[in-house]
Amino acid sequence: MNIASPLQKRKLGHTACPHDCPSTCALEVDFTEDGKIGRMRGAKDNSYTAGVICAKVARYSERLYHPDRLLVPKRRVGAKGAGHWQEISWDAALDEIANAFVQAEQAHGSEAVWPYFYAGTMGQVQRDSIERLRHAKKYSGFFGSICTNLAWTGYVMGTGTLRGPDPREMAVSDCVVIWGTNAVATQVNVMTHAVAAKKNRGAKLVVIDIYDNPTMKQADMALILRPGTDAALACAAMHIAFRDGMADRAYMAKYADDPEGLEAHLKDKTPEWAASITGLSVEEIEAFAKLVGETQKTYFRLGYGFTRSRNGAVSMHAALSLATVLGSWQYEGGGAFHSNSDIFKLNKAELMGTAFVDPDIRMLDQSQIGRVLTGDAEALRHRGPVTAMLIQNTNPINVAPEQRLVKQGFLRNDLFVAVHEHFMTETADVADIVMPATMFVEHDDLYRGGGQSHVLIGPKLLEPPETVRTNLFVIEELAKRLGVSDLPGFGLSEREHIDHILSASGKPDFATFETEKWLDCQPPFEEAHYLNGFAHPDGKFRFKPDWINTPAPGKPPAVLGSFGPVAELPVFPDQMNVIELADAEHPFRLATSPARNFLNSTFAETKTSRDKEGRPEVMLNPKDADALGITSGDVVQIGNGRGDLRIHARVTDAVKPGVLVAEGLWPNKSHLDGEGINVLTGADAPAPYGGAAFHDNKVWLRKAVG
């Protein structure tokens, strides 16, 4: 492996973490004497990262120099998934891909090709350049639904845009509510600022989640509620605020659309009502409402986890509404934050080739890839089949819902698949062509932090192995072979793309970022806290959202319309019972929560992460275990109408009776029968704008026989 050029004869480099995490940490990178990457640390002079990063990224060299890293292009030999490969040249690989795309287009039209990608890198250039090729060639569109849609939709329904109080304000709060995110495991920087408030101000930390995870253990008040019942808790807390005079009526009169209607709606949303839904006690609900109601500087840090249910958008909106009823937005260290994604205003039109967009080209739902590839007419928008794919930055056979359909689709003999990857993932295993990709220290890119406020660059710090290529290289070379390389946006280097984006966005150039390292885009206090009005046309927060017509970052194109049971969306915040409730045949509710040492399917290939996680397990309450004759370490079978699998049980008080949690995401092949937890998750699109309900599954469980 080619390790370093003379440019790398240094002791320290600066970059940004590229992974699918809201923190987007600013990194300091140590170099060893022989020019290799050593330890990574959080940049101390970045006010959000503040010198702290997660352990899995700190040991990134384990991934960079992994002996199983892909280093040469390969062509499949024999049956799909049989594991037989032939090394080929880059030219041969790209020629075969281009030829397969041309053949697919000739047989079924341009929509037969579906470029498929996601957030394996959050770098703007390496992630999004695939869209330019898609639009230029009129390939099938990509509706990216798998991660953010439910959360972003619910938030924007209230505020009108995706921004909030400076995340660093948690450190000056008197109460931090971490709702629906296991921050210790997945967003360590949230804890940096929340713990600072505890230490320096005596602030109270409230954690709301569905099981006793590491973040819960830091809490002064820990609320473990049933999956998918967050809106009921929020409604009861608002009921109490109105009942006990803690609601800020003057604030709502100025900033909200219909506080009187909300108060009337909440009359019967009592603590007793919410207790029967959430599994919390009346006393817990009353104590929570009293704490946040009497603490002006309460900062609600709203995560993604509690929105990954079929009622997720409604739950997000309800939790958000609580901050408005209390008037928390008025105070430094108060308000409700989910993401700052709308503050950066990066103009990527040239990068993504939006000038080439044809509105008549169909859009296919990322989360429904299994249905698309197995010929479901509705998923295909009642048009022809997908017969060729290029996959970058994602591993759908492992991470997508309805895993059996996904695998079945990929094993079609008439489907050509090219995968550009770091390792032989389970998606790469069934590809026709596999190509080795650079890692983030081996190319230039531009990043922004949804969970914070900085735009950062990630400059190339290291020469990649000689036979490894960037995502941009693949797109450019395919464009040449497919006859679109003369169109605007093609033919540019990474740095040229970055400079074009920055210039079009009114921001400093790449060279300035090399010196300054990042740019803080946090809006002024009045704008971040909506003191000049919320972002809806009338400046009012929406207690009564227009669930169908409100613009939102993940809103599907008009041709797709709204998704899911929109008729059941509530007028005011309410518990929306469209989740998969337990029943006689499926007495358990299963959530597939993230593990501390993996990030989606990334890091599951590194030994340290795997050793720390142990093995795939499902958490089971002792009362349920006793009733089923199960002890820790037993193999259990778990299933529903989508499939079933065997997994080891971990009996623990961390989960409540009737609730199961399987932390991951483990590779499918790490499970006992080679099928992973997403065999059990569904791909039906929730209301109103779609998404993926990974934590919303009714299942049965029994001790495995034999």
Side-chain angles (χ1 to χ4, degrees):
M1 186 181 295
N2 184 12
I3 298 300
S5 72
L7 291 176
Q8 276 75 59
K9 297 300 182 182
R10 59 182 116 172
K11 293 185 178 180
L12 183 67
H14 297 276
T15 186
C17 180
H19 288 288
D20 187 10
C21 168
S23 291
T24 317
C25 292
L27 302 179
E28 295 176 352
V29 181
D30 289 335
F31 287 89
T32 62
E33 290 187 1
D34 60 357
K36 288 186 176 182
I37 295 293
R39 190 77 173 171
M40 293 188 181
R41 302 183 302 275
K44 292 182 179 179
D45 52 344
N46 182 280
S47 56
Y48 185 75
T49 303
V52 179
I53 60 169
C54 65
K56 53 187 171 282
V57 172
R59 55 177 183 263
Y60 206 88
S61 59
E62 184 177 359
R63 189 167 194 271
L64 186 67
Y65 302 115
H66 197 293
D68 294 336
R69 182 179 174 181
L70 278 171
L71 294 176
V72 293
K74 298 180 179 183
R75 175 196 294 124
R76 174 174 61 86
V77 178
K80 286 191 175 187
H84 302 304
W85 301 92
Q86 175 188 17
E87 293 185 6
I88 57 175
S89 69
W90 268 101
D91 279 338
L94 293 161
D95 287 346
E96 290 194 27
I97 297 168
N99 183 59
F101 284 12
V102 169
Q103 289 182 352
E105 183 172 355
Q106 289 173 343
H108 300 286
S110 64
E111 291 181 337
V113 182
W114 192 23
Y116 191 98
F117 74 111
Y118 207 55
T121 177
M122 296 293 278
Q124 306 294 297
V125 176
Q126 304 297 345
R127 183 189 66 193
D128 294 340
S129 289
I130 195 172
E131 292 281 47
R132 187 170 65 260
L133 180 66
R134 177 199 314 282
H135 298 322
K137 286 295 298 176
K138 314 300 181 189
Y139 294 149
S140 279
F142 182 85
F143 178 52
S145 61
I146 207 165
C147 180
T148 63
N149 274 29
L150 287 157
W152 287 9
T153 297
Y155 193 93
V156 170
M157 287 293 161
T159 63
T161 191
L162 200 58
R163 68 168 187 266
D166 191 329
R168 293 163 292 197
E169 287 184 30
M170 280 184 285
V172 297
S173 177
D174 292 326
C175 178
V176 178
V177 180
I178 298 177
W179 197 326
T181 182
N182 182 7
V184 167
T186 63
Q187 296 182 58
V188 66
N189 306 98
V190 170
M191 300 306 298
T192 298
H193 301 284
V195 170
K198 281 174 60 79
K199 180 179 179 181
N200 299 327
R201 300 177 59 83
K204 299 299 183 184
L205 177 60
V206 180
V207 178
I208 304 171
D209 215 313
I210 62 168
Y211 71 117
D212 187 6
N213 55 45
T215 308
M216 282 277 181
K217 299 185 187 309
Q218 303 290 322
D220 299 291
M221 180 181 291
L223 301 177
I224 302 177
L225 70 173
R226 293 177 182 137
T229 64
D230 303 80
L233 172 61
C235 287
M238 289 187 282
H239 167 96
I240 294 167
F242 281 112
R243 183 196 71 189
D244 294 352
M246 296 181 291
D248 193 329
R249 297 180 185 278
Y251 174 83
M252 287 187 285
K254 182 177 180 180
Y255 288 104
D257 62 343
D258 189 2
E260 294 82 8
L262 176 66
E263 183 175 8
H265 167 75
L266 293 171
K267 284 290 186 182
D268 62 351
K269 309 304 179 189
T270 64
E272 290 77 12
W273 167 83
S276 68
I277 296 170
T278 63
L280 298 171
S281 68
V282 169
E283 292 74 20
E284 286 176 306
I285 295 169
E286 291 277 5
F288 168 64
K290 180 178 173 64
L291 174 61
V292 298
E294 293 182 346
T295 308
Q296 289 182 332
K297 298 176 69 168
T298 294
Y299 193 106
F300 293 88
R301 181 58 174 84
L302 307 176
Y304 286 97
F306 79 107
T307 71
R308 292 201 168 113
S309 294
R310 288 164 178 80
N311 61 4
V314 171
S315 295
M316 172 62 80
H317 176 254
L320 179 71
S321 294
L322 176 56
T324 305
V325 167
L326 299 174
S328 307
W329 302 95
Q330 300 168 86
Y331 310 106
E332 184 183 20
F337 179 88
H338 171 65
S339 173
N340 258 341
S341 292
D342 277 352
I343 73 173
F344 301 105
K345 311 298 183 188
L346 294 179
N347 185 336
K348 299 189 292 181
E350 180 185 57
L351 175 76
M352 299 177 69
T354 57
F356 316 138
V357 171
D358 182 343
D360 292 330
I361 296 297
R362 68 176 171 187
M363 295 286 290
L364 301 177
D365 189 337
Q366 169 195 20
S367 299
Q368 295 189 342
I369 182 173
R371 302 184 188 189
V372 168
L373 296 184
T374 53
D376 181 276
E378 185 175 352
L380 287 165
R381 312 304 172 207
H382 301 282
R383 301 192 190 181
V386 167
T387 61
M389 299 181 72
L390 168 65
I391 297 176
Q392 291 184 321
N393 314 320
T394 188
N395 180 17
I397 283 185
N398 188 202
V399 307
E402 298 181 347
Q403 185 184 109
R404 284 185 177 174
L405 283 182
V406 179
K407 185 72 175 288
Q408 179 184 336
F410 271 104
L411 290 176
R412 281 171 36 205
N413 288 325
D414 66 332
L415 175 68
F416 174 88
V417 177
V419 172
H420 190 203
E421 255 294 359
H422 299 140
F423 295 92
M424 286 297 291
T425 65
E426 284 162 312
T427 307
D429 282 340
V430 297
D432 298 278
I433 297 290
V434 177
M435 300 168 287
T438 50
M439 295 193 191
F440 76 107
V441 291
E442 299 169 338
H443 55 239
D444 294 314
D445 219 327
L446 178 70
Y447 303 90
R448 62 166 184 77
Q452 49 147 310
S453 59
H454 294 94
V455 172
L456 312 94
I457 62 160
K460 181 179 179 180
L461 299 179
L462 194 72
E463 290 295 334
E466 292 180 359
T467 52
V468 173
R469 299 289 183 268
T470 66
N471 287 6
L472 181 61
F473 172 87
V474 170
I475 300 306
E476 288 291 331
E477 290 299 313
L478 289 177
K480 293 174 186 176
R481 288 163 170 81
L482 294 166
V484 294
S485 60
D486 60 328
L487 294 177
F490 291 100
L492 302 177
S493 69
E494 283 91 349
R495 291 201 178 200
E496 288 171 327
H497 273 298
I498 294 168
D499 270 334
H500 287 202
I501 293 169
L502 293 171
S503 175
S505 308
K507 292 178 170 55
D509 61 10
F510 190 99
T512 302
F513 270 92
E514 282 193 295
T515 302
E516 301 296 329
K517 295 180 286 191
W518 49 75
L519 175 70
D520 192 346
C521 299
Q522 181 64 36
F525 180 87
E526 292 76 15
E527 182 180 349
H529 286 253
Y530 299 101
L531 299 185
N532 299 324
F534 287 88
H536 293 293
D538 61 359
K540 303 284 190 178
F541 182 92
R542 293 284 189 268
F543 288 135
K544 293 175 63 176
D546 183 345
W547 288 108
I548 307 304
N549 298 307
T550 300
K555 186 174 183 177
V559 67
L560 295 184
S562 55
F563 291 171
V566 294
E568 297 183 45
L569 290 163
V571 175
F572 287 105
D574 208 340
Q575 178 66 26
M576 183 186 181
N577 287 323
V578 294
I579 57 178
E580 288 197 347
L581 295 169
D583 56 32
E585 291 186 27
H586 308 88
F588 295 97
R589 296 263 290 140
L590 168 71
T592 60
S593 304
R596 187 168 189 166
N597 291 283
F598 302 150
L599 203 168
N600 301 324
S601 67
T602 305
F603 297 101
E605 69 283 329
T606 58
K607 184 178 186 302
T608 302
S609 288
R610 293 176 66 89
D611 288 348
K612 286 180 176 295
E613 292 300 326
R615 65 185 178 189
E617 294 180 332
V618 62
M619 300 183 195
L620 178 70
N621 183 270
K623 291 183 179 178
D624 293 325
D626 287 346
L628 294 169
I630 292 168
T631 59
S632 279
D634 283 349
V635 176
V636 297
Q637 196 156 8
I638 180 172
N640 55 24
R642 303 177 191 105
D644 61 277
L645 58 93
R646 293 187 307 141
I647 190 171
H648 288 93
R650 186 186 346 154
V651 179
T652 172
D653 287 318
V655 293
K656 288 193 170 183
V659 175
L660 308 175
V661 172
E663 291 183 328
L665 189 64
W666 283 93
N668 304 335
K669 60 190 175 186
S670 296
H671 288 76
L672 294 171
D673 299 314
E675 290 189 304
I677 203 68
N678 278 320
V679 163
L680 306 173
T681 58
D684 46 306
Y689 297 161
F694 285 110
H695 301 341
D696 185 359
N697 310 284
K698 62 180 182 181
V699 296
W700 51 259
L701 180 143
R702 57 176 175 256
K703 191 170 183 178
V705 178

